[in-house]
């Protein structure tokens, strides 16, 4: 089952020890059996930040030895998620390409008498007496009674390694200095430690991150909104906000809440990770997202919004490209303060594009028949403007109202509703200027036609 060759165990071990000297090397090792969720993304981020903070190496290792559940789609999704978050890796591996290495280590355990063959598989002998102490950088010293352990399969009958064994082999071969992972893996650690010791290896340092809980203090699940990381992208969350949010799930630096990527790299270390579970609060994520939308340069944010205008069916690609850039930038600048996501921002920009706006139910009573004539007069005055700014729009509107003997408040809110489909928003004349004279006039004429009593 295990190939016999002249592999130099002592020489290979010496080389690994030399490579590992005083170097921070960490890995994110997802199993590609589904999408990358919030917990996995946080683990990846903590490893990435730790590596970047210490000038070390961040490794992406796809643990795909479970051939019945691993899929290419899941691998692609994991990679796309990490790239969206901006978590670049220095080295990349797939476990299925390393099976010959796992088999060599299994052979060494057999040679040392620490493993045996049974039922076509190779089993590792676990101790049955005493206590195994895990000295964890976050959880502290954790004791496990050895009598609770059973011998474990390390190499299946098809030659593929099991999780605990593959972790030890790959972490050794990759000279991993720190294993930073979720605390659901803490019970696996004593098993892995015994494999290290049986091979005469020094284990890496372990740091197990506490769970993420839902708002009801139970384990985070889909019912709490724990969806794919890329689903948050589709919901209009910025990667800067998502990284900021994930970093604050269990880690802190004083009372600071908003961190740039550079600040996270500068401040992040394991001594800032708490021992208590963190709570996933989507409202906090939305707050952070709005803050980051406010901080981004308008041209950069506008470029992101363009994608969502099309995705949300707000406008066609052609309509988006036809909108004057200066007007669009101004709209993004004014609308972002009232939006929590790129989706909300895109939807609030609907009034910038051709087509009649729907009237919300709570505004229908504002549109009275006596507004038909003022609307027509305003439409006639505004459509004569070439591309009026807020000042020009205001002057034109006030001139018409003065001629009709009407105060601005008589038409301001109904006019806003007709033009934007909403009772609230930026200043009226800013809104009219963003929509442009032609579009405003068109909507006022349509509204007047609906309001004018039928002649019989």
């Amino acid at each position: 089952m295990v190939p016999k060759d002249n592999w130099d165990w002592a020489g290979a071990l010496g080389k690994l020890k030399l490579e590992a000297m005083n170097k921070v090397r960490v890995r994110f090792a997802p199993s590609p059996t589904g999408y990358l969720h919030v917990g996995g993304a946080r683990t990846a981020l903590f490893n990435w930040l730790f590596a970047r903070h210490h000038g070390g190496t961040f490794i992406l290792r796809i643990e795909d030895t479970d051939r019945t559940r691993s899929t290419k789609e899941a691998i692609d999704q994991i990679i796309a998620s990490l790239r969206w978050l901006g978590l670049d890796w220095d080295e990349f591996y797939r476990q299925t390409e390393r099976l010959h290495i796992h088999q060599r280590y299994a052979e060494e355990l057999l040679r040392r008498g620490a493993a045996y063959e049974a039922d076509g598989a190779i089993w590792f002998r676990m101790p049955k007496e005493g206590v195994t102490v895990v000295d964890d950088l976050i959880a502290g010293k954790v004791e496990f009674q050895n009598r609770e352990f059973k011998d474990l399969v390390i190499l299946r009958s098809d030659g593929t390694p099991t999780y605990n064994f593959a972790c030890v082999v790959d972490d050794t071969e990759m000279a991993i200095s720190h294993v930073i992972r979720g605390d659901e893996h803490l019970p696996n650690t004593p098993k892995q430690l015994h494999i290290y010791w049986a091979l005469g290896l020094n284990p890496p340092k372990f740091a197990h991150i506490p769970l993420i809980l839902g708002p009801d203090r139970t384990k985070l699940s889909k019912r709490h909104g724990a969806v794919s990381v890329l689903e948050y992208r589709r919901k209009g969350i910025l990667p800067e906000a998502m990284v900021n949010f994930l970093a604050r799930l269990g880690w802190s630096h004083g009372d600071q809440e908003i961190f740039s990527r550079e600040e996270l790299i500068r401040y992040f270390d394991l001594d800032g990770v708490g021992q208590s579970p963190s709570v996933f609060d989507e409202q906090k994520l939305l707050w952070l997202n709005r803050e980051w939308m406010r901080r981004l340069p308008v041209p950069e944010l506008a470029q992101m919004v363009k994608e969502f205008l099309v995705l949300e069916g707000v406008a066609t690609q052609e309509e988006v490209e036809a909108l004057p850039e200066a007007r669009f930038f101004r709209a993004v600048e004014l609308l972002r303060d009232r939006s929590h996501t790129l989706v909300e921002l895109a939807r609030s920009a609907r009034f910038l594009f051709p087509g009649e706006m729907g009237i919300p139910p709570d505004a229908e009573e504002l549109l009275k028949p006596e507004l038909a004539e003022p609307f027509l007069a305003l439409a006639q005055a505004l459509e004569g403007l070439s591309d009026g700014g807020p000042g020009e729009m205001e002057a034109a509107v006030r001139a018409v109202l003065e001629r009709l003997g009407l105060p601005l408040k008589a038409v301001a809110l109904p006019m806003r509703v007709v033009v934007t489909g909403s009772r609230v928003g930026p200043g009226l004349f800013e809104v009219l200027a963003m929509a442009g004279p032609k579009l405003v006039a068109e909507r006022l004429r349509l509204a007047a036609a609906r309001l004018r009593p039928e002649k019989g």
Side-chain angles (χ1 to χ4, degrees):
M1 173 178 193
V2 178
K4 308 293 182 183
D5 56 26
N6 296 319
W7 183 45
D8 180 6
W9 170 260
L13 185 57
K15 182 182 177 183
L16 290 170
K17 287 180 178 178
L18 187 63
E19 289 177 351
M21 284 179 123
N22 302 317
K23 287 185 178 180
V24 166
R25 289 176 59 85
V26 294
R27 47 61 165 189
F28 175 54
S31 175
T33 56
Y35 57 73
L36 182 63
H37 53 76
V38 169
R42 182 189 64 166
T43 298
L45 176 63
F46 279 18
N47 277 277
W48 185 84
L49 288 173
F50 187 75
R52 297 295 176 254
H53 175 79
H54 290 282
T57 301
F58 175 66
I59 296 168
L60 175 58
R61 185 173 78 216
I62 302 295
E63 300 197 336
D64 57 346
T65 56
D66 187 345
R67 292 169 172 170
T68 60
R69 299 176 61 213
S70 298
T71 66
K72 181 181 182 302
E73 291 74 21
I75 295 173
D76 292 343
Q77 195 267 1
I78 289 168
I79 289 174
S81 299
L82 294 177
R83 283 179 173 160
W84 177 63
L85 293 170
L87 307 185
D88 57 328
W89 48 91
D90 305 300
E91 298 174 19
F92 176 84
Y93 302 96
R94 287 182 61 170
Q95 274 188 339
T96 49
E97 297 172 353
R98 303 171 53 79
L99 298 183
H100 62 291
I101 300 174
H102 302 130
Q103 290 171 349
R104 281 175 169 172
Y105 276 74
E107 179 183 0
E108 181 64 22
L109 287 170
L110 285 171
R111 189 185 69 78
R112 291 171 177 243
Y116 59 92
E117 294 191 57
D119 301 320
I122 297 181
W123 296 68
F124 180 76
R125 302 182 195 275
M126 287 294 293
K128 301 299 184 288
E129 298 178 353
V131 175
T132 302
V133 178
V134 176
D135 194 0
D136 192 86
L137 295 175
I138 295 174
K141 291 186 183 296
V142 184
E143 294 187 353
F144 294 87
Q145 298 296 323
N146 291 338
R147 63 175 178 271
E148 297 176 0
F149 299 129
K150 297 179 180 178
D151 291 355
L152 57 139
V153 173
I154 58 173
L155 214 61
R156 303 181 185 95
S157 57
D158 64 359
T160 59
T162 56
Y163 168 76
N164 284 305
F165 179 58
C167 274
V168 170
V169 173
D170 290 330
D171 287 346
T172 298
E173 287 284 316
M174 295 171 193
I176 298 300
S177 63
H178 297 73
V179 172
I180 305 169
R181 58 189 180 187
D183 66 359
E184 69 271 18
H185 289 292
L186 188 54
N188 290 320
T189 309
K191 303 171 187 176
Q192 294 171 13
L193 284 173
H194 283 287
I195 298 175
Y196 279 112
W197 294 332
L199 288 166
L201 299 170
N202 292 321
K205 296 176 181 178
F206 290 93
H208 289 88
I209 312 165
L211 284 173
I212 301 174
L213 303 178
D216 58 358
R217 309 292 299 185
T218 61
K219 186 176 180 181
L220 191 65
S221 63
K222 287 183 179 180
R223 64 190 176 87
H224 297 114
V227 294
S228 158
V229 167
L230 288 182
E231 184 61 22
Y232 286 104
R233 179 186 185 279
R234 181 63 185 85
K235 288 181 176 182
I237 299 297
L238 300 178
E240 294 85 352
M242 196 70 197
V243 165
N244 193 158
F245 177 72
L246 291 172
R248 290 288 289 111
L249 285 176
W251 172 84
S252 63
H253 178 73
D255 296 327
Q256 187 170 342
E257 290 287 352
I258 300 176
F259 295 86
S260 67
R261 192 175 299 261
E262 292 72 22
E263 288 175 317
L264 288 173
I265 292 172
R266 186 185 316 138
Y267 299 137
F268 185 89
D269 217 336
L270 294 176
D271 57 6
V273 179
Q275 294 184 347
S276 302
S278 52
V279 176
F280 180 92
D281 181 356
E282 190 156 304
Q283 293 306 309
K284 178 71 170 292
L285 174 58
L286 293 175
W287 174 79
L288 278 170
N289 201 58
R290 184 170 66 175
E291 292 300 312
W292 274 104
M293 285 168 59
R294 288 171 171 170
R295 290 170 180 236
L296 280 185
V298 170
E300 185 178 339
L301 181 61
Q303 193 61 38
M304 295 179 179
V305 175
K306 283 183 178 181
E307 177 186 355
F308 283 86
L309 288 170
V310 178
L311 284 173
E312 292 297 309
V314 171
T316 65
Q317 189 67 46
E318 293 74 18
E319 289 170 338
V320 172
E321 297 303 327
L323 190 67
E325 186 176 79
R327 193 192 298 171
F328 183 51
F329 284 2
R330 181 60 177 159
V332 168
E333 184 177 13
L334 291 175
L335 295 172
R336 64 178 170 181
D337 283 345
R338 298 173 179 271
S339 304
H340 287 88
T341 68
L342 293 172
V343 168
E344 286 183 14
L345 182 46
R347 290 174 179 173
S348 70
R350 168 68 185 87
F351 74 95
L352 301 174
F353 301 96
E356 192 173 1
M357 300 301 297
I359 306 300
D362 64 349
E364 288 178 354
E365 77 281 359
L366 296 172
L367 301 179
K368 303 180 186 303
E370 55 265 30
L371 288 172
E373 294 308 320
F375 277 2
L376 283 174
L378 287 166
Q380 186 174 3
L382 293 175
E383 65 190 358
L385 300 177
S386 57
D387 193 12
E392 293 176 86
M393 299 293 272
E394 181 175 4
V397 169
R398 289 190 183 278
V400 171
L401 295 178
E402 184 177 353
R403 190 177 77 243
L404 296 177
L406 292 172
L408 178 61
K409 66 179 181 181
V411 300
L413 190 53
M415 193 175 181
R416 175 189 292 280
V417 168
V418 166
V419 173
T420 70
S422 174
R423 298 176 64 116
V424 297
L428 174 63
F429 300 111
E430 285 280 10
V431 165
L432 300 183
M434 284 188 278
K438 182 178 178 182
L439 206 50
V440 171
E442 179 182 313
R443 287 178 183 152
L444 288 172
R445 287 188 182 281
L446 287 170
R450 288 198 309 270
L451 295 172
R452 186 178 291 165
E454 293 289 339
K455 294 182 179 180

